[in-house]
């Protein structure tokens, strides 16, 4: 069982930045690809970004490419999401997710159903 705890959400003005963190309670963190998803009320959870277990492969949704950066620190069992140039449409609850993978190049995927573990989420609100 892996527990994921997100932090770093909050209220920010449009154009501002936030850095989300997700701490994992597992000794085998480096065997998991990690991802961030987001969800607004009444809509499906959508993919934001993912990173491979070694951190050498990343993938982004088109809506955040060039503005968000996903990274990880396997020594700290933590994955990060640096969000710059935030827009009101980025407002959502952000969730981190973990998926066991068997290749360093496997970034995990962009589909909700393939992830094994989820955090409780952290609210990000961007005001205009």
């Amino acid at each position: 069982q892996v527990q994921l705890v997100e932090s770093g959400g909050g209220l920010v003005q449009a154009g501002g930045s936030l850095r989300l963190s997700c701490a994992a309670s597992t000794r085998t963190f480096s065997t998991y690809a990690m991802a961030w998803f987001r969800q607004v009320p009444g809509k499906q959870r959508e993919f934001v970004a993912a990173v491979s277990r070694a951190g050498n492969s990343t993938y982004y949704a088109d809506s955040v490419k060039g503005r968000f950066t996903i990274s990880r620190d396997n020594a700290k069992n933590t994955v990060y999401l640096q969000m710059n140039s935030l827009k009101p449409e980025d407002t959502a609850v952000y969730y981190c997710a973990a998926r066991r993978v068997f290749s360093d190049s496997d970034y995990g995927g962009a589909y909700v159903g393939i992830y094994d573990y989820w955090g409780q989420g952290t609210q990000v609100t961007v005001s205009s």
Side-chain angles (χ1 to χ4, degrees), residues 4 22 29 32-36 49-51 70 72 79 96-98 107 115:
L4 303 174
C22 172
F29 181 69
Y32 290 88
M34 301 297 295
W36 288 94
V51 61
I70 188 170
R72 65 189 295 159
V79 62
C96 71
Y107 70 84
Y115 283 85

Side-chain angles (χ1 to χ4, degrees), residues 1-118:
Q1 191 75 8
V2 178
Q3 291 188 328
L4 303 174
V5 179
E6 302 96 336
S7 62
L11 174 64
V12 63
Q13 288 189 331
S17 298
L18 280 176
R19 188 195 195 201
L20 305 183
S21 299
C22 172
S25 65
T26 174
R27 296 180 181 178
T28 58
F29 181 69
S30 63
T31 66
Y32 290 88
M34 301 297 295
W36 288 94
F37 288 76
R38 65 188 181 187
Q39 189 171 22
V40 298
K43 293 191 175 182
Q44 291 187 333
R45 195 167 295 188
E46 68 172 4
F47 172 78
V48 175
V51 61
S52 61
R53 67 184 189 183
N56 59 332
S57 180
T58 58
Y59 186 68
Y60 297 91
D62 287 343
S63 59
V64 306
K65 203 171 294 183
R67 300 188 298 121
F68 291 10
T69 301
I70 188 170
S71 62
R72 65 189 295 159
D73 185 339
N74 285 350
K76 296 182 178 180
N77 287 3
T78 302
V79 62
Y80 305 97
L81 185 68
Q82 177 66 44
M83 305 186 294
N84 298 329
S85 303
L86 282 161
K87 305 175 181 180
E89 51 263 43
D90 294 318
T91 295
V93 176
Y94 283 71
Y95 299 88
C96 71
R99 178 192 177 206
R100 194 76 175 267
V101 294
F102 301 95
S103 165
D104 281 350
S105 62
D106 188 346
Y107 70 84
Y111 302 101
V112 170
I114 62 174
Y115 283 85
D116 303 310
Y117 302 102
W118 292 85

